[in-house]
Amino acid sequence: MFSALRSVQLAARRTASMSTSSAGSKSLTIGLIPADGIGREVIPAARQVLEALASDVMPARLSFVDLDAGFEYFQKHGVALPEQTLAALKGDCDGALFGAVSSPSHKVAGYSSPIVGLRKKMDLYANVRPVISGAAATASGEKRAIDMLIIRENTECLYIKEEELHEGPDGKYAVAKRRISEFASRRAGEMAFSMALQRDRMRQQVAASERTWKARPKVTIVHKSNVLSVTDGLWRETVRGVYAGNAEYREGVDVEEQLVDSMVYRMFREPEAFDVVVAPNMYGDIISDGAAALVGSLGLVPSANVGDSFVVGEPVHGSAPDIAGKNIANPIAAIRSAAMLLERTGYASAALAIYRAVDKVLEAGQIRTPDLGGKSTTSDVTEAVCRLL
């Protein structure tokens, strides 16, 4: 069961064009952007795991570039995503890892989220988040066969951050602009349907009894076009158009739609009913964070911000300032995000070695951070994973 599940996980998150170009090189340079809070603990943990990889599974020479970003950097320097960081990513790095950001909940003059800016400036148009049940229990403690891939459009929606505050006769009111384009929606749709087929091809290589998802590949399009008929209507029509215009998708993939509110309800009631889910930026953000509860903790769930020529691995969790500096943050999401980065740059064997080591640590159940009910430290978990590589 383990190998079948993981091979599907590997296939679901691989970008062939990036893999071909990067795997042929003898070195891999990774930008490290810890940013805020526990990011400064989990990104070094991920680096430690990468450096522990044996040469037979990781043939490339790894090098790292330490880079700045974050709200704390903004407070000191007046900019959250410095140009030198962007220049280094574009000129020196094959991929990057981003830790976490402590973006304030109130408006701060001159500040904009560095991870949002990074996605836009590097054209990382999709956030890919696997949600797979394994060693971790679901939110209810029940073991359920979950093998879901959430693809979140990453560049627009309400996250373009065009907001205005006005004075009216009845007091202040705020307006936020929401952008949905055919271009961005089409790219997200293409990724969803192509990954659904890719996952299915890998599943066919193992016995049906060993597969978590046993049905035909399926893409669920999330929207709220019954209310937001223009913006979500365009999203829905464009993603459906990707499906309608490709014979391979029509023949090989089932498609369904879910209103975002019913999607959340169904995801918690029957998460095993979903294969690939594709959603606009904000809906995808909410759904994917919620889905982490199905497999135990935000500290377990990785993600990758993906473009055509660059990838940034990013743990799903936030900066967790309440536990920052205490050496108790769960590093597994960051470690798995590093593995996703390796997959997308062509080093699937190295990624698989990391996944196996992480899963063995979780299955043993002896070394767990407090978010999983244990008393182990960040260092304990990291060292346990390294010992298995």
Side-chain angles (χ1 to χ4, degrees):
M1 174 67 77
F2 167 81
S3 60
L5 281 174
R6 189 58 68 206
S7 66
V8 171
Q9 183 181 13
L10 283 165
R13 299 196 303 263
R14 187 176 296 119
T15 299
S17 62
M18 294 177 63
S19 298
T20 301
S21 61
S22 297
S25 65
K26 298 297 183 182
S27 64
L28 184 69
T29 301
I30 299 173
L32 300 178
I33 313 172
D36 301 325
I38 62 171
R40 293 193 294 272
E41 297 166 70
V42 299
I43 294 303
R47 174 177 177 166
Q48 185 178 337
V49 169
L50 290 171
E51 291 177 324
L53 286 165
S55 59
D56 60 332
V57 296
M58 186 57 198
R61 179 178 56 83
L62 287 170
S63 60
F64 301 92
V65 180
D66 294 317
L67 299 170
D68 293 315
F71 183 64
E72 293 171 28
Y73 186 86
F74 169 82
Q75 290 177 308
K76 295 177 181 178
H77 303 282
V79 59
L81 182 61
E83 286 299 322
Q84 57 265 37
T85 292
L86 288 169
L89 292 174
K90 293 176 180 178
D92 303 328
C93 300
D94 300 300
L97 292 173
F98 187 95
V101 62
S102 298
S103 291
S105 57
H106 58 282
K107 181 177 176 59
V108 175
Y111 176 77
S112 182
S113 169
I115 188 60
V116 173
L118 188 63
R119 291 165 182 162
K120 290 180 181 178
K121 293 180 183 294
M122 300 297 292
D123 196 25
L124 307 174
Y125 60 84
N127 184 266
V128 180
R129 298 189 180 186
V131 182
I132 299 176
S133 59
T138 61
S140 64
E142 179 185 2
K143 291 286 186 179
R144 302 176 77 170
I146 304 168
D147 183 8
M148 178 167 44
L149 189 73
I150 300 173
I151 297 175
R152 163 189 168 192
E153 196 289 314
N154 222 13
T155 65
E156 49 181 33
C157 192
L158 282 170
Y159 289 9
I160 61 172
K161 289 181 67 65
E162 293 185 13
E163 299 178 288
E164 300 171 350
L165 188 63
H166 300 274
E167 288 282 356
D170 299 315
K172 294 179 181 178
Y173 65 96
V175 176
K177 294 181 181 179
R178 185 176 192 244
R179 179 181 298 140
I180 299 290
S181 70
E182 282 185 319
F183 176 72
S185 303
R186 187 178 299 113
R187 292 200 296 185
E190 287 282 0
M191 182 170 287
F193 289 111
S194 65
M195 284 194 169
L197 287 175
Q198 197 172 32
R199 283 157 67 88
D200 188 58
R201 285 191 289 269
M202 290 300 295
R203 287 167 178 151
Q204 299 307 317
Q205 298 180 29
V206 299
S209 61
E210 295 182 349
R211 302 174 200 164
T212 302
W213 179 268
K214 302 180 187 302
R216 276 167 50 89
K218 180 174 70 173
V219 170
T220 302
I221 306 169
V222 178
H223 60 83
K224 189 66 176 176
S225 62
N226 60 328
V227 176
L228 301 171
S229 58
V230 176
T231 51
D232 274 15
L234 179 61
W235 161 266
R236 172 186 176 275
E237 292 167 8
T238 303
V239 177
R240 274 204 162 273
V242 170
Y243 180 75
N246 187 303
E248 186 180 15
Y249 296 160
R250 295 195 306 273
E251 294 168 5
V253 183
D254 292 333
V255 65
E256 67 175 10
E257 300 178 22
Q258 282 286 171
L259 298 176
V260 63
D261 42 359
S262 63
M263 174 67 206
V264 173
Y265 176 80
R266 283 195 66 200
M267 184 177 71
F268 282 101
R269 290 296 298 263
E270 46 177 337
E272 64 276 12
F274 298 102
D275 181 17
V276 177
V277 177
V278 61
N281 202 342
M282 187 175 73
Y283 301 160
D285 190 8
I286 295 168
I287 290 168
S288 53
D289 278 9
L294 295 168
V295 293
S297 167
L298 279 171
L300 297 175
V301 181
S303 78
N305 298 286
V306 179
D308 291 332
S309 59
F310 203 81
V311 58
V312 176
E314 178 196 4
V316 170
H317 60 69
S319 62
D322 56 320
I323 62 170
K326 297 181 180 180
N327 194 30
I328 58 172
N330 192 337
I332 288 177
I335 293 168
R336 283 174 165 170
S337 296
M340 290 185 74
L341 171 61
L342 293 181
E343 290 179 55
R344 293 192 170 277
T345 48
Y347 299 100
S349 295
L352 182 57
I354 292 175
Y355 289 131
R356 283 174 169 161
V358 167
D359 284 355
K360 286 179 180 178
V361 170
L362 289 173
E363 287 165 3
Q366 300 300 309
I367 301 175
R368 292 177 180 260
T369 44
D371 59 309
L372 297 177
K375 297 182 179 180
S376 303
T377 66
T378 307
S379 301
D380 292 335
V381 176
T382 306
E383 291 165 6
V385 173
C386 289
R387 284 194 295 270
L388 293 170
L389 291 173

